[in-house]
Amino acid sequence: MDSRSLNLRGFAGSAGNIMQGIGGFVFGNENATSSEDSYVERYLDRINNGARAEDRRAAMTELQSLVAESRQAQISVGAIGFPVLLHVLREDREDVELIRGALETLVSSLTPIETSNGPKNEVQPAPMNSDLLSRESENISLLLSLLSEDDFYVRYYTLQLLTALITNSPKRLQEAILSIPRGITVLMDMLMDREVIRNEALLLLTYLTREAEEIKKIVAFEGAFEKIFSIIKEEGGSDGGVVVQDCLELLKNLIRNNASNQILLRETIGYDPLVSILKLRRGSAYNFTQQKTVNLLYALETVELLLISGCEPGKDNSRQANQTAFAQKKILDHLLLLGVESPWAPVAVRCMALRCIGDVVLGNPNNLNLLISRQVGEGPQVESALNAIFRIVLRASLVQEFLAADYVFKCFCEKNPEGQTLLASTVPTTLSLAPVESANLPFGSLLLQALVSFESNGDSETCCRAASVLSLILKDNLHCKEKVLKIEIDALAPSLGPTKEPLLHQIVKYSALISSKISKENQSPSLPKDSAVYLLPLLLRLLVTWLADCPSAVACLLGPPTHLTYFLELVSNENIGVYAQGLTAVVLGECVIYNKTNENGKDQFAIADAISQKVGLTSYFLRFDELAKRFRSLPSASYLHSKPLKRTSTASMIEEPQEEIESEANTLRGESENGNPVILEIFDEEFVSLVRKLETGIREGVMDIFSHTKSKVAVLPAELEQKNGEADGDYVKRLREFVERQCNEMQDLLARNATLAEELVRARGSATLPDSSNKQSTGRERVQSESLRQDFQEATRRIEALKAQNSKLEADAANFKSLALKLESDLKSLSDAYNSLEQANVQLEAEVKSLRNPDLERIIEEAREEAQKETEGELNDLLVCLGQEQSKVERLSARLAELGEDVDKLLEGIGDDAALQDEDEDDE
C-alpha cells in the first residue's frame, strides 16, 4: 500500500497544473478547480490506497459513474488516473470485479459526451485521452493480454476500449498492434467467441483494416474470409441484421486495392458465398427491409471492388480472372434479377446491380456473349436482356437509374467493335414517324423509335437518352457510322416537304428545337428544367462522336445550308451553357478538319471563313478555353458510384416514397452543370481526351487554312492578252505593272491572313479582331512587317542550316581525328612488335653461329680432360680416406685382441650384410 500511496502523491503533485491548464482551456476558468476534480482525486486515492477490496470496488464504481457524465472528470482521469487504472489491470487480475470497473471507467473516459449547452468549438476530452493512453505500446499489449481472461465482461469491455482507441487514434493503435507478437491473431480468435464479443471484435477489425495494408494481409491469412462468410451464413445472408453489414464492410476493406487478398479469396473459398448473398427467390423478393437493402448494397459494392480495373501492374489480369470466376457462378442471372426484373427493389439496389452488370462484361468477350444471350421476364413478356436494359434507359424516373443502365451499354461497347456492329445491324434503314407498338421490337427499331419520339410526341428526354446510347454504338467505329448514316426517317406530312430525311438531319433538328425553347424561356413549362444542363449536350455529344474521322457524316451534315447557319448562331448563344457552346464549337471544327468536299460554299475554306465572319475567331476559340476550364473543375467520375458505403450511412438507405423520389429528382435537375451527374457521365475521361485532341487539330487546321490561299489554280484575266496594234514594249510594261499590282495585293492578303490567324490562335481569347478599315489602312505596313519577318525567318533558316552543316563538319573532323589516333596507335603497336621480332631473330642467329663454331670439338675435349682431372683428384682423396680408416681398424683390432676378444669372430658377416644391402638396392 505504501508504494501505491507514494505513486498517487506523485500523480497528484503533477496533476494540479495539468488539470488547471486543460480545464481552463476547455471551460474558460484557469483559477478554479471544479468539484469533479477533487472527487476524481479522492476516488483514485481510495482505489490506490484502499485497505479493503470492497472499498476499492465501490470507489471504482463511483468513479466510473462520474466519468460517464462529466467532461471535467474525463479530463482529470486522463491527467492523473490512467496510471492508477493501468496498475489495477496489471496487478489485480484476481479481482475480476475491480478489473471490470477499471475497464469500464477507461471506456467512459474515451467516450464523447454530447451536451446541448456549451460552445460549439469546445474541446472533447475523449480524443486527448485516447492519445495519452495509446502513446505507450505496453498499454496496448496489456489490453490484448486481457482478451485471454475467462470472464466474459473483461473481454467485452476490453474490446470496447480498443474500439474507442481505434476510433480516436487509428494510426497509433495500428502501429502498436503490429508491433505486438500475435496481436492480430488474438483479435481473430475473438471472432469464434460468444456472439456479443464476436460482434465487437468484428467492428474492431473493421476499423483496423480500413487503411493499414499490412494488417489487411495478416487478417486475410489468419482465415478471415472463412470466418466472415461463416458468420454471414449463420446470420441469414442478406436477410440478416447489422452483423452481416459489418462482415461485408470488413470484407470490402480486405479486398479494396489489394490484389493478393483478392487472389487468396478467389483461390481458397471462391465467390460462391458472396454470390449466394445476392440470390433472390422469384415471387418472394417484395420484402426489402432497410437492413436488407443495406446488406445487398454492401454485397454489390464488394462485387464492384473485385471487378474494378486499375493502373497497378497485374491488376487488370486479376480483374479478368474475377470476371471469369463470377460468370461461372452465374452472377449475371442474379444481377439481372436485381437490376432489371425487380422494379419493386429499392432504386439504390437496382442502380448498383446495373453497374455491376457493366463491370462484369467490360472487356471480356465471353461475358459479353453471355449478356447477349440472356433473356429476362416470364411467359409472353420475355425479351433480351439488352432490350430490357435499354427500356430502363428510356423510362427510368430517376436520373441515377438512367445513368446506371447507360453505363451497361458503355461497358458493352467499350473496345467491342463486334458488339457495336451487332447492335447497329438491328437498326432498320427506314422508319416512319407514325406511332408503332414498341412491344417485342428488336433493339435497333426500339432505338429509332426513341430517337424520333421528340417529333412524334414531344418527348425530349427519351430522345436524348437514346442519343446517348447511339453515341456509344458509334464511338470509334467507322462502319457503324456509315451504316447509321444511311438511315432515313419518313415525314408525318409528305405534302409539306421531302418524304424522307436522314437521321443525322433529324438529330440536328431536335437540337435546334431544344435550343430554341431554352432561348425563349429559361423555365419553359413544356421542357424539363434540366434540359439546359444535359439534354442539349447529350445530342451534341452524339454529333461530335459521329463526325469524328467520318468525312461522309460531315458532308451529310452540311447538306442543308441552314445547318451551318444554325451552328454558327448556337455557338454564340449564351443561354445554352458553357458545355453546349463548347461542343458546338467542336462540331464546327470537325466540319473544317474532316471536310473532304470541294463543293463551293461547303469546303474547308468556306466553313472557316464563315466562322471568322459570323462568330469571329477570337470568340470561337474562347469557347474552347471556357470548356477547358470546366474540364479542370469537373469532379471525379467516381463521385457517382465509387464512394464507399459506411456504417453511418445506414439511415439513408430507407426506401423513399414516390413523392420523395420525385423531389430528389427535381433537386438533381436543378444542380449546376459541374455537379449534375449526367454531365459527369457525358464528360468522362475518354470523351474529354477526344475533345482535347479535336481542339488541337481544329486550331492547327484553322491556322493552316488562313495561312494559305484558297485555290492553287490561277485564272488568267483578259487584260493579260496583247491588244491589237499594241507595241511589244507597251505590252511588256503593262504586264509588269499588272504583276506588281497583283504581287502587292497578294502580299497584303497573305500578311493579313497569317497575322490574323497567328494573333487569334496565340491570344486564346485575350486578343481582339482589328476592324476592316484598320486592316486596309495598315496593309502596307503589314506587308513590310511580313516581308521583314520572312527575311528574318529566311536568315534564321540559313543560319540554322549553316550551324547544322558546321556541326556536321565538326563531327566529321572529330571522327577523322579519332580514326587517325587509332591508326597511329595501331602503327606504333606494329612497330614495337617488329622490333621485338628483330631482336629475337638476332639472338637466334647468334646462337646458331655459336653452335656452328669449328673450335667446338677442342672445347669439348678440354671439358672432358678437366672433368677427368677432377675425377682423379676425388679418387685420390677417397683412397687416402680408406687408408686412414684401415689404420683405425688395425689399431682397434689390436686393442680388442689385447682385451681378449676374438676379432675374427666379430668381423664375421660384416661384408655379407653390405653385399645383401647392395643387392636389395639393385632390385629396387
Side-chain angles (χ1 to χ4, degrees), residues 27 64-75 107-117 122-127 129:
F27 298 101
Q64 190 276 328
S65 300
L66 180 62
V67 172
E69 298 175 355
S70 171
R71 289 186 179 180
Q72 183 61 37
Q74 289 182 332
I75 294 176
V107 172
S108 299
S109 69
L110 303 183
T111 304
I113 299 175
E114 300 295 335
T115 59
S116 57
N117 301 326
E122 186 176 348
V123 176
Q124 286 283 355
N129 289 345

Side-chain angles (χ1 to χ4, degrees), residues 455-589:
E455 188 160 352
S456 59
N457 53 27
D459 191 352
S460 59
E461 182 88 17
T462 300
C463 172
C464 294
R465 291 184 179 186
S468 177
V469 174
L470 181 58
S471 65
L472 298 173
I473 297 174
L474 302 182
K475 178 183 175 184
D476 299 329
N477 195 315
L478 183 61
H479 175 72
C480 290
K481 293 178 182 179
E482 297 286 354
K483 178 175 178 54
V484 177
L485 195 62
K486 299 175 183 178
I487 298 174
E488 295 181 337
I489 309 299
D490 292 337
L492 287 174
S495 59
L496 300 179
T499 57
K500 292 185 178 181
E501 191 175 19
L503 177 62
L504 182 60
H505 293 180
Q506 291 285 337
I507 300 299
V508 176
K509 182 194 301 184
Y510 301 153
S511 67
L513 292 174
I514 293 177
S515 62
S516 64
K517 290 183 179 181
I518 295 173
S519 301
K520 290 180 181 178
E521 189 174 357
N522 288 334
Q523 295 183 351
S524 174
S526 61
L527 201 64
K529 296 179 181 180
D530 58 350
S531 58
V533 179
Y534 71 82
L535 289 187
L536 188 56
L538 281 175
L539 290 178
L540 292 173
R541 182 183 70 163
L542 171 60
L543 293 177
V544 169
T545 305
W546 202 340
L547 298 180
D549 291 315
C550 188
S552 56
V554 172
C556 180
L557 180 71
L558 296 176
T562 55
H563 287 180
L564 179 59
T565 304
Y566 160 67
F567 285 115
L568 292 172
E569 293 175 355
L570 189 65
V571 77
S572 302
N573 191 342
E574 301 290 343
N575 296 324
I576 62 175
V578 173
Y579 289 111
Q581 283 185 296
L583 291 181
T584 305
V586 175
V587 170
L588 286 171

Side-chain angles (χ1 to χ4, degrees), residues 116-187:
S116 57
N117 301 326
K120 294 182 179 180
N121 59 348
E122 186 176 348
V123 176
Q124 286 283 355
M128 294 190 298
N129 289 345
S130 298
D131 183 71
L132 288 171
L133 188 59
S134 60
R135 282 183 181 179
E136 301 294 335
S137 61
E138 291 80 2
N139 298 338
I140 309 302
S141 180
L142 174 62
L143 295 177
L144 289 177
S145 67
L146 292 173
L147 293 176
S148 60
E149 294 292 325
D150 295 332
D151 186 72
F152 168 80
Y153 288 101
V154 170
R155 301 197 305 275
Y156 177 70
Y157 290 137
T158 301
L159 287 172
Q160 281 194 327
L161 181 57
L162 290 171
T163 303
L165 285 173
I166 192 67
T167 303
N168 296 316
S169 303
K171 294 294 184 183
R172 283 189 175 178
L173 189 63
Q174 289 169 355
E175 293 173 358
I177 290 179
L178 280 174
S179 65
I180 298 171
R182 298 190 74 253
I184 300 295
T185 305
V186 172
L187 294 177

Side-chain angles (χ1 to χ4, degrees), residues 95-105 151-154 157:
D95 195 340
V96 176
E97 188 174 346
L98 189 63
I99 295 292
R100 290 179 186 174
L103 288 170
E104 199 170 358
T105 303
D151 186 72
F152 168 80
Y153 288 101
V154 170
Y157 290 137

Side-chain angles (χ1 to χ4, degrees), residues 37 45 289 336 495 686 709 730 747 749 812:
D37 296 338
D45 183 65
T289 63
L336 288 171
S495 59
E686 294 180 356
T709 56
D730 295 337
Q747 288 293 333
L749 179 62
D812 293 342

Side-chain angles (χ1 to χ4, degrees), residues 644-712:
L645 300 173
K646 298 296 181 65
R647 184 187 179 98
T648 54
S649 63
T650 303
S652 64
M653 297 300 169
I654 302 175
E655 186 175 6
E656 300 174 347
Q658 187 64 29
E659 293 79 5
E660 294 183 10
I661 291 178
E662 293 298 331
S663 175
E664 180 184 354
N666 291 333
T667 302
L668 285 170
R669 286 169 177 167
E671 288 180 352
S672 62
E673 283 185 313
N674 273 24
N676 189 280
V678 184
I679 291 295
L680 296 180
E681 286 287 347
I682 294 174
F683 294 99
D684 58 5
E685 183 178 353
E686 294 180 356
F687 187 69
V688 168
S689 176
L690 171 64
V691 171
R692 286 173 176 167
K693 178 183 177 182
L694 290 172
E695 177 190 352
T696 303
I698 291 168
R699 288 181 182 275
E700 294 175 355
V702 171
M703 182 176 179
D704 183 69
I705 288 173
F706 279 99
S707 299
H708 297 82
T709 56
K710 178 179 178 181
S711 177
K712 297 181 180 180

